[in-house]
C-alpha cells in the first residue's frame, strides 16, 4: 500500500504542476495571441516533438534519481499538453458574448482571463487531468522500474516491480500485486476520463 501511495502522490503532484502552469501559459497565450502566442506554441511544439518519457529520462539523468526530481521532470513535461488544450479553449471562449460584455464593462485582461474564462474551462481541464494522471502513473512506474525514480528505502509500484524481478520464479506474487494495482488505477481513471468526456460532449 505504501508503494501505491507513493505512486499516487507522484502522479498527483505531476498533474498539478502540469495543470497549473500549463493552464496559465495556455490562457495567457490564447488571450494575448500574436507573436507571444506564436513563440509559446513553437516552444510547445519543440517539447512535444520528442517522446516525453525520453525527455524525462534525460532530465532525471541530469538531476539525479529521487522522488522530488521525478516529480519535477514529469511536471515540466506535462505543461505543454495542458497549455495546448487550455489555449484552444481560450481561443474559443474569448470570442463569446459574455467575454465581450466583460470587456465593455471595463474588466481588465487578468480579470477576464482568470475570473470569466478560466472557470469555463474546468470540464475540459478535468478530463485532461484524468488522462494526465494515467500517463503520470505509467511514467513513474516506468522510470522507477529503470531505477531512475523512487530510491530505497522508499517504495513505489515501479520500484516494487524492479525489486520483484529477482523473485519472479520463486515468489511471482511480489510482481503480480503491484502490476495489478497499476492496471486497476489506469482502468479506474480511464473510466473517469471517459465519463467526463461524455459529459462534456
Amino acid at each position: 500500500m505504501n508503494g501505491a501511495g507513493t505512486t499516487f502522490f507522484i502522479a498527483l503532484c505531476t498533474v498539478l504542476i502540469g495543470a497549473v502552469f500549463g493552464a496559465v501559459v495556455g490562457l495567457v497565450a490564447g488571450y494575448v495571441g500574436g507573436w507571444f502566442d506564436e513563440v509559446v506554441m513553437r516552444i510547445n511544439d519543440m517539447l512535444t516533438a520528442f517522446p516525453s518519457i525520453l525527455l524525462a529520462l534525460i532530465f532525471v539523468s541530469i538531476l539525479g534519481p529521487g522522488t522530488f526530481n521525478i516529480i519535477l521532470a514529469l511536471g515540466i513535461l506535462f505543461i505543454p499538453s495542458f497549455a495546448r488544450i487550455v489555449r484552444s479553449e481560450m481561443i474559443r471562449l474569448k470570442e463569446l458574448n459574455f467575454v465581450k460584455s466583460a470587456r465593455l464593462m471595463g474588466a481588465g485582461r487578468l480579470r477576464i482571463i482568470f475570473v470569466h474564462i478560466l472557470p469555463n474551462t474546468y470540464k475540459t481541464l478535468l478530463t485532461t487531468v484524468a488522462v494526465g494522471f494515467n500517463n503520470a502513473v505509467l511514467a513513474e512506474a516506468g522510470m522507477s522500474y529503470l531505477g531512475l525514480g523512487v530510491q530505497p528505502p522508499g517504495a513505489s509500484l515501479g520500484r516494487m516491480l524492479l525489486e520483484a524481478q529477482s523473485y519472479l520464479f520463486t515468489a511471482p506474487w511480489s510482481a503480480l500485486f503491484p502490476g495489478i494495482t497499476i492496471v486497476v488505477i489506469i482502468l479506474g481513471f480511464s473510466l473517469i476520463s471517459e465519463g467526463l468526456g461524455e459529459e462534456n460532449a
Side-chain angles (χ1 to χ4, degrees):
M1 291 300 293
N2 187 40
T6 302
T7 297
F8 198 94
F9 173 75
I10 291 172
L12 183 62
C13 290
T14 296
V15 169
L16 283 176
I17 291 171
V20 171
F21 288 96
V24 171
V25 170
L27 286 169
V28 174
Y31 188 83
V32 173
W35 67 268
F36 180 77
D37 179 45
E38 191 68 25
V39 170
V40 169
M41 285 302 103
R42 293 298 73 78
I43 295 172
N44 213 54
D45 290 341
M46 284 191 292
L47 287 172
T48 54
F50 297 95
S52 296
I53 191 68
L54 178 61
L55 289 176
L57 288 171
I58 293 171
F59 284 175
V60 173
S61 297
I62 295 170
L63 297 171
T67 302
F68 176 78
N69 288 342
I70 193 173
I71 289 172
L72 183 62
L74 292 176
I76 291 171
L77 293 175
F78 273 53
I79 291 174
S81 58
F82 281 98
R84 182 172 293 281
I85 289 168
V86 173
R87 171 184 172 271
S88 299
E89 281 293 287
M90 166 61 83
I91 291 172
R92 181 181 68 85
L93 292 169
K94 74 177 183 179
E95 300 302 328
L96 297 183
N97 289 333
F98 75 93
V99 177
K100 293 178 180 178
S101 298
R103 286 199 199 100
L104 290 173
M105 293 174 66
R109 282 186 172 184
L110 290 179
R111 181 174 178 80
I112 290 173
I113 291 172
F114 293 104
V115 176
H116 295 281
I117 295 179
L118 179 59
N120 287 286
T121 66
Y122 82 94
K123 288 185 178 180
T124 302
L125 205 51
L126 281 177
T127 305
T128 310
V129 164
V131 174
F133 189 89
N134 272 353
N135 293 335
V137 168
L138 289 173
E140 184 284 322
M143 294 184 70
S144 291
Y145 181 77
L146 294 172
L148 294 172
V150 176
Q151 300 297 301
S156 74
L157 295 176
R159 187 76 203 181
M160 291 168 70
L161 285 173
L162 172 63
E163 294 179 354
Q165 279 188 134
S166 305
Y167 311 100
L168 200 56
F169 295 105
T170 56
W173 55 86
S174 60
L176 187 63
F177 290 130
I180 289 175
T181 304
I182 291 173
V183 171
V184 169
I185 292 173
I186 298 300
L187 285 176
F189 276 87
S190 294
L191 291 173
I192 291 172
S193 64
E194 187 177 330
L196 290 170
E198 289 176 357
E199 185 180 328
N200 294 342

